Amino acid sequence: LRTNGSLCSICADRATGKHYGAASCDGCKGFFRRSVRKNHAYTCRFSRQCVVDKDKRNQCRYCRLKKCFRAGMRKEAVQNERDRISCRREGQAAGSLSISVLLQAEASTQQFSSWTPAAHSDITAKKIALVGDVCESMKQQLLLLVEWAKRIPDFCELPVDDRVCLVIDSAPHLGGGSAYSLCWNSHDDLPVTGNDFVIPVSGPELEVSKVAARILEELVRPLRELDITDSEFACLKAIIFFAPDCPGLESPQPVRRVRFQAQVLLDEATCEQRGRFGELLLMLPPLQSVAWQMVEQLQLARLLGEASVDSLLQEMLLGEGASAAATASTAAATRASDNFTSVILPVPTGKFGSIYHFNMLNLRGAFLKFSRQADSEQYF
Amino acid sequence: LRTNGSLCSICADRATGKHYGAASCDGCKGFFRRSVRKNHAYTCRFSRQCVVDKDKRNQCRYCRLKKCFRAGMRKEAVQNERDRISCRREGQAAGSLSISVLLQAEASTQQFSSWTPAAHSDITAKKIALVGDVCESMKQQLLLLVEWAKRIPDFCELPVDDRVCLVIDSAPHLGGGSAYSLCWNSHDDLPVTGNDFVIPVSGPELEVSKVAARILEELVRPLRELDITDSEFACLKAIIFFAPDCPGLESPQPVRRVRFQAQVLLDEATCEQRGRFGELLLMLPPLQSVAWQMVEQLQLARLLGEASVDSLLQEMLLGEGASAAATASTAAATRASDNFTSVILPVPTGKFGSIYHFNMLNLRGAFLKFSRQADSEQYF
DNA sequence: CTAATTAGGTCAAAGGTCTA
DNA sequence: GTAGACCTTTGACCTAATTA
């Protein structure tokens, strides 16, 4: 009667209006208020994936509260005193970085991707990835990463050299299909690259399979168990990307500030679920580790001549000078990215030394050189 | 009080209100709920005409339940089981790990250390560390690490092989003077090893100095800026140590639980200071990175013959077989640790392969082998 | 000014706990 | 394992403050 037919977005019972930011029933409304007021820390007796519906909503308070937050309820909307029913307006956060900026950046680069979640269903149709395919995926992801970064105002305000540094440094973690995107795309039991190959745990290439096993065990599984949300993922990506310790950074301080912002946003996005924020941040060390192993394996594969690492990627990831085939293959890379609003230009040939940078990212030199070309600034 | 003089319509005891559709006492209320929930089918031993009153209500369940229904109780009014309310259970489920346990573990291993903060004042008196000195420091720290771990009950409850795994895996991060202990001991502008050497930023050994610079820039400085407390440091150490992704772990789940505990303790230790918890956890990736570089440099130094890496440490950190000098040097190591309640026994000689484990920790093999000696279990 | 919303509050009757 | 005295949580229903 009082509700125009809408359902509670938490338990699908009849909603009595919007409460604390989400259409909900009186039960969930009261539950949320009590939980926030008493600062309750529930624990799930199962695996934090309980079904929350009208019948079962009282069976797990942890999962019910989690769903309240995910449905959009904000704890700030719960007022403490009776006469504080004022200020009902929407308050905007202080910093320029916000969840919505990050979500939009994610969304608008998703459209460039040829791969869509809907096409995800048929695993058997996918080809098995060899080292070369992984490299190809990494290259594609790297182009997307630039697009993504450009949609974040704080990124655009950085010095151009630092922008380049950040993209390059985070390539193995984010742009590389290696870790981040693999987590995102993968099935429970099979890593899938951005270009729709699967990496089998027991495949023809032993070393690749080893990485696949680590991805599943150390990254995909914990993230599935946490059941990470889009917002959380977006924040995590920003935290990884804005790395103040990134080598070669001119002014790390602005980067540190942005990461701080992102980190606080993640904390808020986890909605007070006990321990969740920490568990999400603790994904970073294994992510870093797996990303490095990935790069290691590519290097190894290159040495053994098992794979034809694309020259552009080789230049970028391994810090080697472009080979004779560079011109042709980078031209292809440029073609392949015609539908991007910007491309990463072919890197000028040249040796960048063979010093083994510990972050395993000698690509910096290549990109820094690239970025100093006057006409390239428009791309960043 | 709450019952306005009405009687239980089943047994005529004092009613505590309407329950399931009938005015009833707590006894009949509970009896009805249990009966319906468990779907009990009682039988009457007499002629199904038993008297049900306050005194005799427990003499025939069949007749009591029948009277409940006749009084108007409806089984539809009995709901599904709900979540647990109890908070007493959380007291023990919260685990034995606490701030005080961690602080005590820290304190009681500090006493073994020859180095004391008070002796810290005169930097100029300290010797400049060469690679060999760094190794010596790492060895000492590793012994301390075992002592530290043994004072944490959760550690002692783990399978012996997993205990060994954890010590070895975290050696470069914690036991190794490389990162953690260096941060702790160091001045603002000069890293100091556990054995009281300084690592100069511009010293005779270029590679060592590079690491020193990273330690200062990426670890010491941020930690100074945060002005980390003892409690926070203790938690951070535990978080690093209890690494569920540690390779070779038999049962990662208990380790993950302990790390969760430690992580939540750190959150509490930061006392609600906005962003502080996150900033502290974000120290882990650079810590990991620096630790790896440290191990890398040791390996490099060994290859170049610049340093005489102690055989025990070599065995443990680089995964190489003990050299000819092993017996002598491990004997020295044992002597040096006479005042520990346990020592790490000399590792039996043997090759452990030269496969480059990505975590840069081939030591696992060495320690696992060690741990399988029956008489060695007492040391863990 | 009134209606629509959505804060806050109440308390009967669900639930669970725990000793005997 | 059950019984039942005792405590907590739920949610339907209420009032009140703000806003269109």
Side-chain angles (χ1 to χ4, degrees), chain B residues 15-329:
Chain B
T16 61
K18 287 186 95 176
H19 299 292
Y20 310 111
S24 52
C25 64
D26 268 334
C28 291
K29 169 198 166 191
F31 170 76
F32 187 75
R33 180 178 55 218
R34 282 190 296 270
S35 301
V36 170
R37 283 258 180 81
K38 295 186 178 170
N39 209 13
H40 273 312
Y42 307 123
T43 44
C44 180
R45 291 179 299 154
F46 306 104
S47 51
R48 291 182 264 196
Q49 292 169 332
C50 303
V51 174
V52 182
D53 60 19
K54 182 170 165 27
D55 294 327
K56 296 191 272 291
R57 65 190 177 196
N58 281 317
Q59 287 181 8
C60 179
R61 288 170 171 169
Y62 177 92
C63 290
R64 188 183 191 181
L65 185 57
K66 187 179 74 172
K67 201 166 177 192
C68 282
F69 281 116
R70 295 224 169 149
M73 285 191 172
R74 294 164 299 107
K75 68 172 194 284
E76 302 78 42
V78 175
Q79 303 173 357
N80 286 326
E81 256 187 84
R82 286 187 185 173
D83 199 3
R84 300 272 157 79
I85 288 176
S86 175
C87 37
R88 257 164 290 223
R89 201 175 59 88
E90 197 174 4
Q92 53 178 244
S96 58
L97 197 64
S98 66
I99 296 269
S100 64
V101 163
L102 293 176
L103 286 176
Q104 277 165 26
E106 201 60 44
S108 56
T109 51
Q110 288 289 332
Q111 70 185 24
F112 288 118
S113 179
S114 57
W115 175 86
T116 54
H120 202 208
S121 48
D122 193 7
I123 327 173
T124 55
K126 298 192 198 317
K127 290 157 285 185
I128 286 176
L130 299 177
V131 167
D133 303 314
V134 177
C135 291
E136 182 61 27
S137 170
M138 291 176 80
K139 197 173 66 187
Q140 289 178 10
Q141 295 293 324
L142 197 51
L143 295 171
L144 285 173
L145 186 63
V146 175
E147 286 305 306
W148 171 83
K150 281 169 58 184
R151 310 202 176 231
I152 296 171
D154 299 85
F155 175 76
C156 300
E157 286 164 15
L158 296 174
V160 63
D161 280 6
D162 286 358
R163 274 178 275 166
V164 172
C165 278
L166 289 181
V167 169
I168 292 163
D169 191 55
S170 63
H173 307 87
L174 301 174
S178 60
Y180 183 88
S181 73
L182 276 170
C183 304
W184 196 224
N185 297 339
S186 295
H187 281 255
D188 286 339
D189 50 1
L190 216 53
V192 176
T193 68
N195 51 351
D196 222 20
F197 283 87
V198 297
I199 304 180
V201 178
S202 57
E205 293 172 319
L206 184 64
E207 298 304 322
V208 171
S209 299
K210 270 188 188 167
V211 180
R214 285 196 66 199
I215 288 170
L216 288 180
E217 193 57 38
E218 300 177 31
L219 302 176
V220 177
R221 202 163 72 157
L223 285 177
R224 299 271 165 191
E225 270 173 26
L226 283 167
D227 193 22
I228 189 171
T229 66
D230 286 356
S231 298
E232 289 164 348
F233 216 84
C235 294
L236 216 44
K237 184 171 179 175
I239 291 168
I240 296 164
F241 183 79
F242 291 99
D245 293 325
C246 168
L249 223 47
E250 259 175 41
S251 45
Q253 219 49 41
V255 178
R256 194 174 287 278
R257 271 198 297 275
V258 180
R259 189 180 70 168
F260 184 86
Q261 276 291 325
Q263 182 254 100
V264 169
L265 284 177
L266 176 61
D267 194 7
E268 286 166 6
T270 56
C271 302
E272 308 284 319
Q273 289 174 71
R274 179 184 163 86
R276 185 175 179 82
F277 176 52
E279 291 297 296
L280 285 171
L281 279 189
L282 285 171
M283 295 304 302
L284 298 197
L287 190 80
Q288 175 176 257
S289 169
V290 168
W292 284 342
Q293 183 169 17
M294 201 88 177
V295 174
E296 276 274 288
Q297 297 303 350
L298 290 181
Q299 230 166 7
L300 185 66
R302 188 180 53 84
L303 287 174
L304 299 178
E306 284 174 8
S308 62
V309 180
D310 180 89
S311 303
L312 171 61
L313 191 69
Q314 182 175 322
E315 180 80 42
M316 294 197 314
L317 288 182
L318 308 178
E320 298 287 323
S323 70
T327 316
S329 77

Side-chain angles (χ1 to χ4, degrees), chain A residues 178-214:
Chain A
S178 59
Y180 184 87
S181 72
L182 275 170
C183 303
W184 197 224
N185 297 339
S186 295
H187 280 255
D188 287 338
D189 51 0
L190 215 53
V192 176
T193 69
N195 52 350
D196 222 20
F197 282 87
V198 297
I199 305 180
V201 178
S202 57
E205 293 171 318
L206 184 64
E207 298 304 323
V208 171
S209 299
K210 269 187 189 169
V211 180
R214 284 196 66 198

